[in-house]
């Protein structure tokens, strides 16, 4: 009988091939593993987890930095029939306990960097004290390195992994994959953004984000190599590129940071053959910059969510044809619909609810049946995004329902406004949000980082926006920031910027209009504009 569609079975098969003993699968700051070594370490840790008293279906939370041991613990949990759940290490202890209430984990595995948070969860903790040491993987994963022995076979419909949603409106929810849906998702990633065994993927994202699948597990499924960095650092990333890393994925802010680093000019960027970006709106200037800076790279952009992974994208040829905005077309196998309030598809150009269905979507929110029924419906997954499409099927994301601004009775979606503002030649970065307003109910405000050597004035920005935005969508107030804070996923942190603006509201009577934004290291200036 053929093996089931599970990632552990696939990795064992790859490790058993003649090349598995010498072809490198993973490298981090403290060591490396071949495919054969990865399969062996995975099964060894799987045995150690079972010896620790865990039974199939138990949830194993990981509170660790990105590393080889973290990868091995996640794969070992899958191989043991357990459910892996990487934890957002930026959560406070209170937030982590709230998130884990639904998951009810049997064990939290932690490295020294995150052991304090792990203990704050109130659950049983196993620490890996040598996780970051330059030592063999068995030492780095001790005390979970058990004596390897045969493990019971996995079923495709067994639960495999839980990814936390962004939690933009409160406690994150845990969206879970079965072994089958995980394998189908990784396979889609591997073929939708083609890889070869000669590729070297540079990974610098947190493991709780779905980039764990798209950037680490999918390359391993395809037989490629992954270099893991603990966090994004422009200098370290450029050093890896200079050494031979050939594939990059990240938010536009990361590529902007690479370009601004002193070693950018001397790094051997011709090593890079593939780039994928997403997470935030892009501009034609940003894309043209990528095409210039990485001349040998095929560049793609994509759109996805924790609940369904990657479902939309556009290719290098689209960029060469000058199509830079929006999120592209549905990937093969993804059914994308945009529905009105009556449940019917809206015409081209109209904004409606984005509904996604695909074989690789997650199956629900763990331990949250009501939220699962609300989001995972018979016609697809409803995550609250609003979108439109052109006659030829090109999709644009307007924004999330919960981020929608109601100004003067009209609905405004921040992302739609951001895409226009970002096209201004003097704007390097921007975030749009709503603030309370006595006249309008809410007003549209934009926080802007000016491009080097320039400034941005509200009146001129409003005039610029009038070409592409209705009057009620045009920002009524402007804050100038030195930098926009980022979330753990390196996306612009809209909530943090809005919170700082709210905290600044009582100070708006200051004639100078200048005040440090609370909670950030940036200076903010606010200018008031006339009503739309």
């Amino acid at each position: 009988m053929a093996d089931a569609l599970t990632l552990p079975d696939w990795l064992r098969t790859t490790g058993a091939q003649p090349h598995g003993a010498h072809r490198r699968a993973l490298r981090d700051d403290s060591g490396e593993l071949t495919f054969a070594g990865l399969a062996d370490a995975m099964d060894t840790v799987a045995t150690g987890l079972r010896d620790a008293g865990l039974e199939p279906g138990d949830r194993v939370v990981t509170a660790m930095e990105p590393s080889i041991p973290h990868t091995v613990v996640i794969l070992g949990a899958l191989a043991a029939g357990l459910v892996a759940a990487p934890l957002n290490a930026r959560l406070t202890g209170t937030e982590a306990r709230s998130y884990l209430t639904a998951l009810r984990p049997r064990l939290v595995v932690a490295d020294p960097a995150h052991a304090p948070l792990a203990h704050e969860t109130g659950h049983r903790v196993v620490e890996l004290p040598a996780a970051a040491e330059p030592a063999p993987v068995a030492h780095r994963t001790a005390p979970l390195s058990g004596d390897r022995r045969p493990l019971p076979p996995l079923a495709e419909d067994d639960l495999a992994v839980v990814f936390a949603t962004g939690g933009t409106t409160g406690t994150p929810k845990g969206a879970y994959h079965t072994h089958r849906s995980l394998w189908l998702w990784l396979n889609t990633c591997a073929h939708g953004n083609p890889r070869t065994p000669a590729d070297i993927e540079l990974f610098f994202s947190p493991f709780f984000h779905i980039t764990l699948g798209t950037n680490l597990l999918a390359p391993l499924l395809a037989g490629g190599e992954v270099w893991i960095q603990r966090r994004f650092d422009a200098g370290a990333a450029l050093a890896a590129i200079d050494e031979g890393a050939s594939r990059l994925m990240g938010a536009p802010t990361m590529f902007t940071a690479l370009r601004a680093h002193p070693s950018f000019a001397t790094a051997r960027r011709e090593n890079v053959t593939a780039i994928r970006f997403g997470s935030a709106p892009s501009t034609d200037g940003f894309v043209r910059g990528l095409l210039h800076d990485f001349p040998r790279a095929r560049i793609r952009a994509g759109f996805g969510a924790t609940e369904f992974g990657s479902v939309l994208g556009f290719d290098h040829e689209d960029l060469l044809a000058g199509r830079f905005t929006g999120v592209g077309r549905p990937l093969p196998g993804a059914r994308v619909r945009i529905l009105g309030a009556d449940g019917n598809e809206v015409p081209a150009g109209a904004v409606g609810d984005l509904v996604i269905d695909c074989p690789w979507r997650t199956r629900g929110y763990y331990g949250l049946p009501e939220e699962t029924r609300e989001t995972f419906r018979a016609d697809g997954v409803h995550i609250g995004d609003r979108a439109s499409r052109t006659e030829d099927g090109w999709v644009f994301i307007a924004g999330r329902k919960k981020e929608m601004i109601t100004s003067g009775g009209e609905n405004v979606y921040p992302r739609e406004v951001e895409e226009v503002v970002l096209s201004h030649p003097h704007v390097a970065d921007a975030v749009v949000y709503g603030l309370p307003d006595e006249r309008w109910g809410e007003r549209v405000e934009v926080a802007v980082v000016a491009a080097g050597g320039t400034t941005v004035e509200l009146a001129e920005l409003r005039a610029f926006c009038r070409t592409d935005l209705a009057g009620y969508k045009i920002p009524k107030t402007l804050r100038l920031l030195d930098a926009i804070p980022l979330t753990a996923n390196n996306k612009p942190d809209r909530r943090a910027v809005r919170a700082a603006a709210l905290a600044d509201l009582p100070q708006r009577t200051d004639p100078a209009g200048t005040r440090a934004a609370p909670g950030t290291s940036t200076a903010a200036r606010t200018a008031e504009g006339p009503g739309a």
Side-chain angles (χ1 to χ4, degrees):
M1 178 183 294
D3 286 335
L5 287 182
T6 75
L7 181 59
D9 286 328
W10 190 266
L11 292 175
R12 290 188 192 105
T13 299
T14 304
Q17 299 297 321
H19 61 258
H22 60 81
R23 188 144 60 82
R24 186 165 57 191
L26 294 174
R27 188 185 88 169
D28 68 7
D29 292 341
S30 300
E32 59 184 50
L33 274 182
T34 64
F35 276 94
L38 176 60
D40 182 71
M42 171 185 73
D43 286 337
T44 297
V45 168
T47 303
L49 288 167
R50 294 299 296 271
D51 288 345
L54 277 70
E55 300 293 334
D58 285 344
R59 278 71 59 207
V60 176
V61 169
T62 55
M64 300 176 66
E65 293 182 319
S67 64
I68 286 176
H70 197 172
T71 308
V72 170
V73 171
I74 288 173
L75 294 174
L78 268 60
L82 309 171
V83 183
L87 181 66
N88 180 353
R90 287 195 176 184
L91 297 177
T92 65
T94 300
E95 291 170 327
R97 286 193 298 273
S98 178
Y99 168 61
L100 296 179
T101 298
L103 265 64
R104 294 175 287 113
R106 286 286 308 279
L107 186 68
V108 180
V109 180
D111 60 15
H114 299 304
L117 174 62
H119 286 287
E120 283 190 68
T121 67
H123 297 280
R124 176 188 171 197
V125 175
V126 169
E127 295 185 34
L128 309 186
E133 293 182 7
V137 68
H139 182 69
R140 297 179 69 187
T141 55
L144 288 180
S145 299
D147 294 327
R148 184 179 179 185
R149 62 177 183 270
L151 296 161
L154 302 172
E156 291 181 7
D157 291 334
D158 289 344
L159 271 57
V161 65
V162 177
F163 287 102
T165 61
T168 54
T169 57
T171 300
K173 299 181 287 289
Y176 63 87
H177 274 289
T178 64
H179 282 280
R180 180 179 179 84
S181 67
L182 176 64
W183 195 96
L184 291 173
W185 172 39
L186 302 181
N187 188 62
T188 296
C189 294
H191 290 282
N193 192 12
R195 293 169 166 88
T196 72
D199 290 330
I200 299 175
E201 190 98 21
L202 184 60
F203 184 94
F204 39 60
S205 298
F207 272 25
F208 70 88
H209 188 252
I210 61 170
T211 47
L212 174 68
T214 56
N215 275 62
L216 198 156
L217 300 181
L220 292 178
L221 185 83
E225 184 176 338
V226 183
W227 292 357
I228 303 172
Q229 297 185 334
R230 289 188 175 91
R231 61 190 60 83
F232 175 71
D233 176 84
L238 287 167
I241 290 169
D242 193 66
E243 190 178 346
S246 60
R247 299 180 66 91
L248 308 175
M249 180 176 176
T253 51
M254 294 182 179
F255 293 101
T256 301
L258 292 179
R259 186 179 295 116
H261 195 273
S263 63
F264 181 77
T266 56
R268 291 186 296 175
R269 286 172 276 125
E270 65 273 13
N271 289 336
V272 179
T273 59
I275 287 175
R276 187 173 178 86
F277 68 88
S279 300
S282 62
T283 65
D284 57 349
F286 167 75
V287 175
R288 291 184 194 280
L290 285 182
L291 292 168
H292 175 268
D293 293 338
F294 299 93
R296 292 192 61 232
R298 287 188 59 82
I299 300 171
R300 294 177 171 85
F303 170 82
T306 307
E307 288 83 352
F308 43 67
S310 303
V311 290
L312 290 153
F314 49 99
D315 292 323
H316 191 75
E317 290 71 22
D318 295 312
L319 301 176
L320 295 179
R323 212 161 192 177
F324 301 126
T325 59
V327 291
R329 308 178 189 86
L331 300 182
R335 183 189 186 202
V336 177
R337 295 189 299 156
I338 301 172
L339 306 182
D342 59 1
N344 295 317
E345 293 209 45
V346 300
V351 174
D353 292 335
L354 182 70
V355 180
I356 304 290
D357 199 17
C358 56
W360 58 85
R361 66 172 178 80
T362 60
R363 297 318 191 217
Y365 298 126
Y366 193 94
L368 300 172
E370 291 185 13
E371 289 85 345
T372 296
R373 284 191 293 270
E374 174 63 23
T375 300
F376 295 83
R377 307 180 197 174
D379 62 345
V381 183
H382 296 242
I383 62 167
D385 276 341
R386 300 278 286 173
S388 64
R389 67 177 3 141
T390 61
E391 289 284 359
D392 66 347
W394 195 269
V395 177
F396 291 82
I397 301 298
R400 296 185 66 82
K401 279 184 180 180
K402 293 173 181 177
E403 294 174 346
M404 184 179 72
I405 305 163
T406 303
S407 184
E410 300 286 355
N411 294 337
V412 182
Y413 293 97
R415 181 159 178 156
E416 179 184 17
V417 181
E418 287 165 0
E419 289 196 352
V420 175
V421 172
L422 284 166
S423 66
H424 190 287
H426 293 173
V427 174
D429 206 354
V431 167
V432 171
Y433 47 90
L435 287 179
D437 188 277
E438 291 183 3
R439 179 179 179 185
W440 304 101
E442 282 186 291
R443 68 170 174 270
V444 181
E445 178 164 293
V446 61
V448 165
V449 177
T454 69
T455 188
V456 181
E457 298 294 339
L458 178 63
E460 196 277 329
L461 182 64
R462 284 172 57 82
F464 176 85
C465 290
R466 287 195 183 281
T467 302
D468 298 298
L469 293 174
Y472 65 88
K473 299 178 182 179
I474 296 173
K476 294 180 174 66
T477 49
L478 165 71
R479 287 170 64 82
L480 297 178
L481 303 181
D482 295 332
I484 288 176
L486 303 178
T487 67
N489 302 336
N490 289 292
K491 298 179 183 180
D493 194 336
R494 194 188 315 277
R495 283 197 297 171
V497 176
R498 183 177 184 272
L502 283 170
D504 202 28
L505 283 177
Q507 305 295 324
R508 296 257 165 113
T509 56
D510 178 2
T514 303
R515 183 172 183 268
T520 74
S521 60
T522 62
R525 297 191 299 280
T526 303
E528 302 287 343

